[in-house]
Amino acid sequence: MISDDIVIDIAREMVWCIIKCSAPMLIVSLVIGLVISIFQTVTSIQEQTLTFVPKLVGIFLTLILCGSWIITSIVNFFQNLCEMFPQLIG
């Protein structure tokens, strides 16, 4: 029988995996948005679409650089979960 502790541990590991896998893209997007926002404030340019392309390019570059690490983290989580299946079922 599955205990509540095991379910909570799996959920905690899942949330941690989501956070650490999404953090690089979110941090890059935040930094680029902050830099563009400061640039817009200094130059008084109030174009809403100005941040879109730099953020998109930054996120793609981050995916290229960190993609293998992200996939490895997700695969490791899934492998650990699959290794626990006999324990969870029995």
Side-chain angles (χ1 to χ4, degrees):
M1 175 142 242
I2 300 175
S3 70
D4 293 342
D5 293 336
I6 294 174
V7 174
I8 291 171
D9 286 342
I10 292 171
R12 186 181 324 117
E13 288 178 31
M14 178 189 59
V15 169
W16 178 245
C17 184
I18 291 169
I19 289 171
K20 76 177 183 178
C21 289
S22 64
M25 281 87 59
L26 292 175
I27 291 170
V28 167
S29 180
L30 177 72
V31 169
I32 291 173
L34 183 63
V35 168
I36 301 264
S37 177
I38 291 171
F39 174 75
Q40 284 181 325
T41 302
V42 169
T43 60
S44 298
I45 298 174
Q46 297 302 321
E47 179 62 36
Q48 297 296 323
T49 59
L50 187 61
T51 62
F52 181 73
V53 173
K55 280 185 182 181
L56 190 65
V57 170
I59 289 173
F60 280 148
L61 288 175
T62 305
L63 277 174
I64 289 170
L65 294 174
C66 299
S68 63
W69 173 76
I70 292 170
I71 292 295
T72 302
S73 296
I74 293 170
V75 168
N76 287 339
F77 172 74
F78 184 71
Q79 285 176 339
N80 291 338
L81 193 61
C82 287
E83 289 172 3
M84 292 176 60
F85 278 163
Q87 176 187 348
L88 297 175
I89 294 173

